[in-house]
Amino acid sequence: MNDLSVQIGKVLWKNPVSVASGTFGCAEEMSEIMDIGKLGAIFAKGLTLKPRSGNPPQRIIETPAGMLNAIGLQNVGVDEFIKNKIPFLANFDVPVYANISGNSEHEYSELAKKLDGSGIAGIEINVSCPNVKKGGMAFGLDPDLVASVTRSVRKSTELDVIVKLSPNVTDISLMAKRAEQEGADAVSLVNTFMGLAIDINQRRPYLANNTGGLSGPAIRPIAVRMVWEVYNSVSIPIIGMGGIVDTDSALEFIIAGATALSVGTGTFYDPLSTVKIVKGINQYFEENNYKKIIELVGSLVFN
Amino acid sequence: MLIRSCKIINNSPLSENIYSMTFECLEIAGKFKPGQFVTVGISACGIQRLKRPFSIARCKDECVTILYQCVGLNTRALSECTAGMILDVTGPLGNGFKVEHNSNALLISGGVGAASLLALAEELLARGNSEVKLLFGARSANDLALRDFFAEIGLDVFVATDDGSEGLHGYVTELLDDYLMKNKQPDIIYACGPKPMLKEISSQALVKGIESQFCLEAYMACGLGVCMGCAQKIVHDGEEEYLRVCKEGPVFFAKNICWD
Ligand SMILES: Cc1cc2nc3c(=O)[nH]c(=O)nc-3n(C[C@H](O)[C@H](O)[C@H](O)COP(=O)(O)OP(=O)(O)OC[C@H]3O[C@@H](n4cnc5c(N)ncnc54)[C@H](O)[C@@H]3O)c2cc1C
Ligand SMILES: Cc1cc2nc3c(=O)[nH]c(=O)nc-3n(C[C@H](O)[C@H](O)[C@H](O)COP(=O)(O)O)c2cc1C
Ligand code: FES
């Protein structure tokens, strides 16, 4: 195996392949069917200060080359996460990131304070969840709010801070720049695109929440384009995602400028896709004589 | 929970749109419990779609059989697969039925829900429960393909059809009414079918004080317990909570299910 390690902020990942928040739980179930230790990093299920029961069903609908979801951030709350999930996640020698959502700047900084020193590698700020009524994505759509949330989390923790950007904006690189200015160690993109799927027989949306977030291969070309734009605007590392299902799609993101990547919906198509991608990237390195991931990052030859 | 590539042994129509598919999988066949399910993906056939859940209807000779109805894209694609093709299969998933040594079990199915009760019926009989009966609801006489599986293993089957083309003219819940009036009260009801049917059975069973276990359906994305997509509101430790049909289910005690 080649050295596929990448540096994200203060943390060294053994390879660039991670799992996206909300698509891997807290690794308990997945540990039954795969070797978690093979992952570059884990982004745990989105957390809020208090437990959340989530949206009523139906929460999922498959769409062409992807799916819409409106889970509504069902989660056990940060205290339970620290008490019962982190000890399990710590078993694998893989950096773990908590993904946090709040209704106010204050909630974000409270979450960060609680997680500081809890044994995780860093905090991913979710300013882009489209499925909760208050807060959530509202923060991700306004550059000043992205900046102020980043600032208050930055002040509340020594841990690495990653800002997860919403793609539901006109200029995503502006959001990335503001996050960088406020001290983010990295940005991750993209979260899901707001979408609507209609049951024509009932003339109603399939999802009880009406709208949901679109993920999967359907969004990949837009996500790759956004990674390229952000790569040209900031100098902090990018964690790229959106429709990665195999080695080729993973490499697209790295060539566009991502230092690392996350697989979300790809895990649903094939629970073992992440380990296959690690192997595939290794093979690509051998065939093309690359030595370090960083040689490839942003190596896109633009026409 | 295992992930396997499984070879299709047989995939054939039982009626216009109900199919029986058998694939090889020694490990799943060896460890499943009635009520559990598999998720089946057709990406090996060149189509990338979410894996879809199907009850394990029967396991025999290292093979797993599912009985499914064509309702949309995935099931139609599945129906076009042929023997020798490879499927992505994950299973066995979820918690099955809790089987007690009761002598008097009543099974109730609506439509293709019968698929999840077949293995249970076989197990009940194998455990020496002689008085196992099935109330089988279907739209019409053309939709009775699955009934024959139960008749073959020696179950008494009572039929209700929506259009009256066979058996009682009406819903299976009316058949239940009728059955409870004329027969000894069952110790337990096991049921699978559309939600409105289950809700009605639940209230009838509650009035009579009959314990009931239902196999529920939910739209699923992962089937593994990680996406929280398959939520069903359930009373759990005295509180209403969204549980995962793919993990804590698909079988729940009827008294704990919160109907919307
Ligand atoms: C635990 C479990 C066990 C199941 N066992 C069986 C079985 O043994 N035999 C069988 O024929 N079917 C079974 N189902 C239902 C089966 O999974 C769906 O019919 C299938 O996923 C439909 O896929 P499709 O792409 O063909 O249809 P789609 O195009 O996705 O949908 C067509 C129609 O079916 C509805 N539908 C889709 N998925 C589901 C679902 N999971 N539950 C209820 N309605 C759905 C849609 O709302 C739509 O109206 C089971 C479902 C669950 C959750
Ligand atoms: C079911 C589901 C749940 C998700 N939950 C979260 C979450 O809690 N927090 C978050 O930041 N992103 C969440 N996401 C977004 C993913 O992390 C990812 O950004 C997005 O799905 C795009 O990647 P993909 O196309 O590989 O899935 C969720 C996505 C899905 C499909
Ligand atoms: S389908 Fe993903 S948790 Fe049940």
Side-chain angles (χ1 to χ4, degrees):
Chain A
M1 189 60 108
N2 289 287
D3 175 11
L4 299 180
S5 64
V6 293
Q7 186 77 36
I8 304 292
K10 297 190 285 289
V11 184
L12 186 73
W13 297 13
K14 61 170 133 349
N15 67 60
V17 182
S18 69
V19 287
S21 178
T23 64
F24 206 77
C26 292
E28 288 144 316
E29 297 83 7
M30 296 303 291
S31 69
E32 277 184 52
I33 49 175
M34 68 178 284
D35 182 355
I36 306 283
K38 294 237 160 76
L39 294 171
I42 296 169
F43 289 85
K45 173 67 194 159
L47 286 174
T48 47
L49 266 182
K50 297 267 150 54
R52 272 180 68 95
S53 57
N55 290 329
Q58 183 173 345
R59 293 177 172 184
I60 301 276
I61 179 80
E62 187 167 23
T63 55
M67 56 177 273
L68 286 179
N69 89 79
I71 307 298
L73 279 175
Q74 178 171 354
N75 79 94
V76 295
V78 67
D79 294 331
E80 172 73 10
F81 176 78
I82 292 170
K83 191 161 154 247
N84 287 322
K85 305 291 178 181
I86 293 180
F88 182 79
L89 284 159
N91 286 324
F92 302 102
D93 190 29
V94 174
V96 171
Y97 294 84
N99 173 279
I100 61 170
S101 286
N103 285 328
S104 64
E105 235 174 83
H106 178 71
E107 282 190 20
Y108 278 100
S109 68
E110 281 302 298
L111 279 155
K113 278 179 199 153
K114 281 179 182 261
L115 288 161
D116 197 56
S118 66
I120 57 172
I123 292 173
E124 182 179 49
I125 307 176
N126 182 6
V127 287
S128 47
C129 182
N131 301 324
V132 287
K133 290 267 164 342
K134 243 178 28 193
M137 193 166 72
F139 285 102
L141 301 185
D142 179 339
D144 292 333
L145 288 176
V146 169
S148 61
V149 170
T150 309
R151 192 183 315 135
S152 37
V153 172
R154 176 73 290 165
K155 272 196 257 165
S156 311
T157 179
E158 297 286 312
L159 297 170
D160 275 358
V161 174
I162 300 174
V163 180
K164 183 164 184 178
L165 302 174
S166 169
N168 298 300
V169 295
T170 318
D171 183 4
I172 197 166
S173 58
L174 174 62
M175 308 293 167
K177 276 189 239 169
R178 296 298 296 274
E180 182 180 40
Q181 280 162 12
E182 297 299 340
D185 298 282
V187 285
S188 52
L189 58 138
V190 296
N191 207 316
T192 53
F193 288 78
M194 175 95 88
L196 174 64
I198 298 170
D199 179 343
I200 58 161
N201 295 315
Q202 316 228 24
R203 285 180 294 107
R204 282 174 183 278
Y206 280 106
L207 302 182
N209 186 58
N210 298 316
T211 57
L214 181 63
S215 62
I219 68 171
R220 189 195 304 149
I222 318 179
V224 172
R225 186 261 296 170
M226 288 181 160
V227 165
W228 172 243
E229 286 176 1
V230 170
Y231 177 72
N232 287 301
S233 322
V234 300
S235 49
I236 49 177
I238 297 165
I239 297 149
M241 76 196 90
I244 297 175
V245 296
D246 55 14
T247 304
D248 290 13
S249 44
L251 286 166
E252 272 195 70
F253 279 83
I254 297 179
I255 294 167
T259 301
L261 54 98
S262 290
V263 177
T265 306
T267 294
F268 305 160
Y269 292 122
D270 176 3
L272 303 179
S273 56
T274 41
V275 276
K276 291 177 187 167
I277 292 169
V278 175
K279 267 198 209 149
I281 293 178
N282 190 54
Q283 197 184 338
Y284 179 80
F285 263 50
E286 261 155 34
E287 285 164 9
N288 296 284
N289 264 316
Y290 291 113
K291 296 277 172 290
K292 298 288 271 178
I293 294 282
I294 205 75
E295 290 170 50
L296 207 58
V297 175
S299 64
L300 177 66
V301 186
F302 220 61
N303 295 319
Chain B
M1 177 155 90
L2 301 161
I3 303 176
R4 292 292 180 266
S5 298
C6 300
K7 191 164 87 184
I8 301 174
I9 302 297
N10 176 46
N11 186 28
S12 47
L14 301 173
S15 66
E16 202 184 318
N17 67 348
I18 295 179
Y19 284 70
S20 163
M21 174 178 288
T22 300
F23 52 84
E24 246 171 22
C25 193
L26 168 66
E27 294 148 294
I28 293 177
K31 62 184 283 198
F32 103 105
K33 294 195 197 73
Q36 285 189 305
F37 65 101
V38 288
T39 55
V40 179
I42 45 178
S43 62
C45 308
I47 311 163
Q48 192 163 54
R49 298 278 295 175
L50 294 173
K51 293 195 183 93
R52 294 308 179 107
F54 300 96
S55 296
I56 300 173
R58 175 176 269 168
C59 291
K60 216 170 150 189
D61 304 333
E62 310 181 357
C63 290
V64 176
T65 298
I66 59 172
L67 303 167
Y68 64 96
Q69 184 169 21
C70 288
V71 295
L73 222 143
N74 294 271
T75 44
R76 219 169 298 124
L78 203 60
S79 74
E80 282 158 18
C81 295
T82 51
M85 284 178 150
I86 303 294
L87 299 169
D88 300 324
V89 179
T90 307
L93 300 169
N95 292 307
F97 291 103
K98 283 161 203 73
V99 183
E100 319 277 339
H101 285 272
N102 36 72
S103 54
N104 194 347
L106 183 63
L107 278 49
I108 309 174
S109 72
V112 77
S116 71
L117 301 176
L118 183 60
L120 172 73
E122 287 180 335
E123 166 132 0
L124 287 167
L125 293 178
R127 290 202 189 191
N129 299 296
S130 52
E131 294 204 40
V132 188
K133 307 260 186 331
L134 171 66
L135 309 184
F136 188 104
R139 230 171 286 161
S140 82
N142 297 328
D143 300 322
L144 296 173
L146 301 188
R147 174 193 57 176
D148 302 341
F149 286 86
F150 293 87
E152 271 164 30
I153 59 170
L155 234 62
D156 281 341
V157 185
F158 303 86
V159 171
T161 51
D162 298 356
D163 66 0
S165 50
E166 183 153 341
L168 180 115
H169 186 175
Y171 291 134
V172 73
T173 46
E174 296 165 48
L175 192 57
L176 174 62
D177 255 342
D178 196 49
Y179 180 90
L180 291 176
M181 267 189 305
K182 293 179 186 156
N183 295 276
K184 195 174 109 207
Q185 178 157 318
D187 303 317
I188 185 159
I189 290 175
Y190 298 100
C192 183
K195 281 251 172 83
M197 169 195 119
L198 295 176
K199 186 177 173 181
E200 175 60 29
I201 295 173
S202 172
S203 56
Q204 290 191 32
L206 221 56
V207 171
K208 297 247 156 53
I210 310 167
E211 186 189 288
S212 314
Q213 295 178 30
F214 294 168
C215 181
L216 296 187
E217 289 194 1
Y219 205 98
M220 293 182 180
C222 71
L224 305 166
V226 299
C227 75
M228 313 306 282
C230 59
Q232 167 68 44
K233 201 174 260 181
I234 297 286
V235 178
H236 179 65
D237 293 338
E239 275 180 54
E240 289 186 6
E241 205 183 317
Y242 282 120
L243 297 186
R244 297 163 298 183
V245 171
C246 75
K247 205 76 191 173
E248 286 84 21
V251 177
F252 293 101
F253 284 104
K255 62 176 191 294
N256 295 336
I257 298 171
C258 306
W259 307 97
D260 17 64

